[in-house]
Amino acid sequence: MTPAEISPGLVVSVATPDLKLSDFKLIAFDMDSTLINIECVDEIADAVGRKAEVAAITEASMRGDIADFKESLRRRVALLKGVSLSQMDEVYHQRLKLNPGAAELVHACKAVGMKVLLVSGGFTFFADRIRDELGIDYTRANVLEISDGRLTGKLVDQPWGDICDGEEKRKMLLETCGKLGINPLQAIAMGDGANDLPMMGVAGLSVAYRAKPRVREQAMVAINEGGLDRLLEVLK
């Protein structure tokens, strides 16, 4: 099917005859710039006067210009050394907001019995709070190492691996489907950056939200204007 703008800012590249939200059992969200309005790593860097430096790496990584997400994240996290937990709290309380329609879409998904997964190349410091705020069922994100109330500039290895990159997002989506006993084609994956493409590629429906060009081109649905809940215009 040729991509078609079914209403301003909403492009659909796949035939969805009578497709309903309740046809799906799981929705997986990226966090930064998808479920929430900021790239957390960039805003934390602002606390140590390194936002421009870190944001440039983030932008290149999300566009897909930097192939090795893990290396790009390690470089950015190293620049956060010395940031205090109170400065992190400030980012959460003063800069981080849910994107428009985020709560509404999560609520609509849960209302039809779907499970919700948050998979992030960002950090548990924020992902765990978003999980609690929205009642999200499963999360995977990176752990920042903290010593004496400050970031060390390193990440903490976890039982599943070192860094949640695109491949880990894909793996977590497939693992969660396995846990729920569902086919990945019964999952929706929603993101904005190149590291979301692996999980979007295995899901039954891929949705780009205000995404980088490469991601918009490959997604089945692209929301280019308005809120996340515009997905409900496609899935009744």
Side-chain angles (χ1 to χ4, degrees):
M1 176 178 162
T2 309
E5 190 167 47
I6 61 170
S7 65
L10 185 64
V11 178
V12 177
S13 309
V14 62
T16 55
D18 306 322
L19 211 51
K20 300 189 293 293
L21 197 61
S22 57
D23 292 332
F24 296 92
K25 303 297 178 197
L26 174 71
I27 186 163
F29 291 99
D30 166 53
M31 182 173 71
D32 294 35
S33 296
T34 300
L35 207 54
I36 64 172
N37 64 323
I38 58 171
E39 291 288 337
C40 293
V41 69
D42 297 356
E43 301 307 318
I44 300 166
D46 202 22
V48 282
R50 288 180 154 159
K51 183 173 180 177
E53 195 177 344
V54 168
I57 304 172
T58 301
E59 176 66 18
S61 184
M62 292 304 101
R63 280 198 312 264
D65 296 347
I66 298 176
D68 189 342
F69 176 84
K70 289 188 179 187
E71 185 51 37
S72 95
L73 187 65
R74 284 192 194 98
R75 276 169 59 196
R76 285 175 284 164
V77 169
L79 295 168
L80 305 181
K81 186 176 179 180
V83 172
S84 69
L85 284 177
S86 63
Q87 288 171 313
M88 297 270 288
D89 267 326
E90 207 170 285
V91 170
Y92 177 74
H93 290 295
Q94 296 184 12
R95 303 190 183 201
L96 187 155
K97 292 183 173 59
L98 291 175
N99 267 330
E104 290 82 354
L105 179 56
V106 169
H107 178 75
C109 289
K110 291 182 85 70
V112 296
M114 291 171 69
K115 295 293 185 186
V116 183
L117 166 65
L118 178 59
V119 272
S120 176
F123 311 117
T124 53
F125 183 91
F126 303 103
D128 290 355
R129 296 176 185 209
I130 298 299
R131 174 198 66 203
D132 295 346
E133 185 177 344
L134 291 176
I136 287 170
D137 302 288
Y138 310 101
T139 60
R140 180 146 294 177
N142 302 303
V143 179
L144 290 163
E145 187 178 74
I146 296 161
S147 178
D148 298 325
R150 293 188 179 273
L151 301 187
T152 66
K154 294 178 182 167
L155 292 157
V156 179
D157 285 357
Q158 298 181 73
W160 48 262
D162 55 352
I163 287 176
C164 185
D165 61 354
E167 180 51 33
E168 186 58 39
K169 288 186 178 197
R170 186 186 77 88
K171 200 172 111 200
M172 183 60 178
L173 182 133
L174 294 174
E175 269 178 26
T176 306
C177 288
K179 194 180 291 183
L180 296 172
I182 65 169
N183 190 305
L185 296 178
Q186 294 172 285
I188 300 169
M190 203 162 190
D192 73 299
N195 64 326
D196 297 314
L197 288 171
M199 72 166 177
M200 290 168 71
V202 295
L205 188 68
S206 56
V207 184
Y209 181 70
R210 301 193 178 201
K212 300 293 179 272
R214 199 172 137 205
V215 182
R216 285 202 306 268
E217 285 159 16
Q218 294 186 40
M220 297 173 187
V221 176
I223 300 169
N224 302 325
E225 296 172 20
L228 289 152
D229 56 344
R230 293 203 68 190
L231 180 61
L232 302 175
E233 294 175 38
V234 181
L235 303 176
K236 304 303 182 200

